[in-house]
Amino acid sequence: MPHSPSAPVILGNEPGSFPHSVLAERHPAIIRQVRDAFPYGPAQHRALDALLASCTKGVVEPLPAEAHDRDRWEAWGLAQYAGRSWYDTPWLWSESYFYRQLLDAVGYFGPGPWQGVDPFRPFKLAELDSPQTDEELAALDGLSADDQDRALLHGSLWGNRADLGFRLSTAGTGTADPAPGLVADDSESLWSLLPPSGAGTLCLIADNAGRELIPDLLLLAHLLERGRIGRAVLHIKPYPYYVSDATTADVLDALRRLTGARGTAVEYGRILWSAMTDGRLSLRAHPFSAAPLPYADMPGDLRAELATAALTVVKGDLNYRRLVGDRLWTPTTPFADVTAHFPGPVAALRTLKSDVITGLDPDTEAALVAAEGQRWRTGGTHALIQVRT
């Protein structure tokens, strides 16, 4: 494995920084949204209030002895970070632990009547059933055969702008540039790994549900139908995570949306339904999918599985942070260097919503900084397709 250069791990303790704003502003906003999403009882309200106080002014609390996943979180760093300020722990870790504690506060892990109830489901369904989704599905009818590869790849790429957690913190700040450009585009390399007569497996590590998951599924259906892949494995979260991250229930909701649509969309829905029933499309919810760790630390069984794929597509901002490491890399750090740990060919499809970035050429970085300062890193108006073969 080539040596990867080091860079400082991102923390949330710098006032005015993007990570600090997530901890100080976005997380409290999400607690308020969740509190109002269901008629939770007094015990859940007290637990949410306690989490709000802890994550804004307190310290990371350990899990109780009876917690079903205490050993796992201890191995993931809880023994090291318990008692620290949330702002002084690695940002990736503190964000992940926040969502784990939020689920606990609303009774998701049970036992009890709220066990397994996704606190983010109302937000996901509202987006999935929106008129904008109808418009996006209707647009499929106008695609020519020559346009489909690029359109569906870019639909999956830009669908990440629908990230609900991102929307909560940017509401009222204006409309993003409707036609932003790519800061890196390795799409030709991506297609070279998926030849017209391919029989390999594509692993897609999904990010968000709703209007992002729909184009991810459309891309998989297209690749299966065209014979570019023989099998697809969709990696999703084992439980609700980061407001809008996709779970099995979200995949089923998206499939319902497609099979209930019209025109080309319903045909794609039928392809996906058939592929799931005959095993050409399978779901995978590995516990590590919700871990607060980079993919460099993935367990052996997951590493062996991804090593067999013709290509693994890593979707979204959070998964990009996990892929390259949640560090303040120099933007020109080669993408191939920071992904050398990955067990096979990997492609990142990402809309930029955090400070982490690698693989830029110097002229691109200079042009972005000249035009926008550092806002280009976090505003969701730029994207990238990066591939390491």
Side-chain angles (χ1 to χ4, degrees), residues 182 184-191 335 359 384-388:
L182 298 179
D185 185 4
D186 294 340
S187 52
E188 289 190 12
S189 294
L190 186 151
W191 291 119
F335 179 72
L384 58 79
I385 301 173
Q386 292 177 324
V387 176
R388 195 220 73 211

Side-chain angles (χ1 to χ4, degrees), residues 12 19-28 55-56 86-87 91 94-95:
H20 189 277
S21 72
V22 169
L23 297 175
E25 300 168 21
R26 183 186 294 185
H27 286 178
C55 70
T56 54
W86 292 77
Y87 296 90
W91 183 40
S94 59
E95 279 195 290

Side-chain angles (χ1 to χ4, degrees), residues 183 329-332 352 355 357 360-377 382:
V183 300
W329 299 108
T330 300
T332 54
L352 277 60
D355 292 307
I357 185 72
L360 296 192
D361 66 63
D363 290 343
T364 299
E365 183 197 3
L368 290 165
V369 173
E372 303 179 34
Q374 296 300 325
R375 294 189 304 277
W376 61 273
R377 293 174 178 254
H382 296 282

Side-chain angles (χ1 to χ4, degrees), residues 297-326:
D297 295 337
M298 75 175 79
D301 63 329
L302 182 58
R303 179 173 294 276
E305 182 178 335
L306 297 178
T308 66
L311 175 66
T312 297
V313 175
V314 175
K315 273 296 308 292
D317 196 80
L318 171 61
N319 284 326
Y320 186 87
R321 292 164 55 195
R322 297 186 69 195
L323 176 63
V324 304
D326 202 32

Side-chain angles (χ1 to χ4, degrees), residues 29-387:
I30 289 170
I31 290 174
R32 291 191 291 270
Q33 293 269 344
V34 166
R35 185 186 178 99
D36 295 337
F38 288 106
Y40 291 124
Q44 288 151 313
H45 285 172
R46 287 192 295 271
L48 288 169
D49 290 342
L51 177 59
L52 177 62
S54 170
C55 70
T56 54
K57 299 177 182 179
V59 298
V60 172
E61 301 287 347
L63 294 176
E66 66 274 13
H68 73 283
D69 55 352
R70 177 173 175 169
D71 289 346
R72 181 178 296 156
W73 275 95
E74 292 279 345
W76 286 348
L78 182 57
Q80 177 181 357
Y81 299 129
R84 288 194 194 181
S85 165
W86 292 77
Y87 296 90
D88 293 332
T89 61
W91 183 40
L92 175 63
W93 196 96
S94 59
E95 279 195 290
S96 297
Y97 194 61
F98 167 79
Y99 286 103
R100 192 275 173 221
Q101 293 294 68
L102 180 62
L103 291 181
D104 199 42
V106 298
Y108 180 87
F109 295 118
W114 292 95
Q115 185 175 21
V117 176
D118 183 348
F120 312 127
R121 185 169 172 79
F123 316 134
K124 295 174 177 179
L125 290 180
E127 180 187 271
L128 188 62
D129 294 331
S130 69
Q132 290 87 349
T133 304
D134 290 325
E135 294 170 6
E136 291 161 2
L137 293 180
L140 294 170
D141 296 333
L143 290 180
S144 69
D146 292 338
D147 292 335
Q148 287 178 347
D149 277 1
R150 183 180 186 277
L152 292 173
L153 178 64
H154 280 250
S156 180
L157 169 66
W158 288 109
N160 184 244
R161 293 173 70 178
D163 179 337
L164 293 170
F166 182 74
R167 283 177 161 193
L168 287 178
S169 63
T170 57
T173 60
T175 302
D177 178 358
L182 298 179
V183 300
D185 185 4
D186 294 340
S187 52
E188 289 190 12
S189 294
L190 186 151
W191 291 119
S192 73
L193 293 166
L194 303 173
S197 298
T201 296
L202 173 74
C203 291
L204 193 154
I205 300 178
D207 193 33
N208 296 314
R211 282 170 56 207
E212 179 184 351
L213 186 59
I214 289 279
D216 290 346
L217 291 172
L218 294 174
L219 178 62
L220 293 181
H222 172 71
L223 296 174
L224 287 166
E225 181 192 29
R226 290 296 182 89
R228 306 290 287 266
I229 55 175
R231 180 170 176 263
V233 180
L234 183 63
H235 287 253
I236 51 178
K237 300 300 187 293
Y239 50 76
Y241 189 63
Y242 276 71
V243 180
S244 54
D245 281 35
T247 64
T248 299
D250 299 317
V251 174
L252 298 179
D253 285 337
L255 189 57
R256 169 192 60 80
R257 189 71 163 89
L258 287 171
T259 55
R262 298 178 180 178
T264 304
V266 72
E267 294 303 319
Y268 278 125
R270 290 168 181 163
I271 290 168
L272 291 163
W273 190 284
S274 175
M276 289 189 72
T277 58
D278 66 24
R280 287 176 297 131
L281 171 59
S282 59
L283 305 182
R284 183 85 158 98
H286 195 285
F288 190 77
S289 292
L293 303 174
Y295 282 112
D297 295 337
M298 75 175 79
D301 63 329
L302 182 58
R303 179 173 294 276
E305 182 178 335
L306 297 178
T308 66
L311 175 66
T312 297
V313 175
V314 175
K315 273 296 308 292
D317 196 80
L318 171 61
N319 284 326
Y320 186 87
R321 292 164 55 195
R322 297 186 69 195
L323 176 63
V324 304
D326 202 32
R327 295 172 176 270
L328 288 173
W329 299 108
T330 300
T332 54
T333 302
F335 179 72
D337 286 0
V338 295
T339 57
H341 63 84
F342 207 82
V346 63
L349 302 185
R350 177 216 183 186
T351 306
L352 277 60
K353 300 177 187 174
S354 66
D355 292 307
V356 180
I357 185 72
T358 67
L360 296 192
D361 66 63
D363 290 343
T364 299
E365 183 197 3
L368 290 165
V369 173
E372 303 179 34
Q374 296 300 325
R375 294 189 304 277
W376 61 273
R377 293 174 178 254
T378 59
T381 56
H382 296 282
L384 58 79
I385 301 173
Q386 292 177 324
V387 176

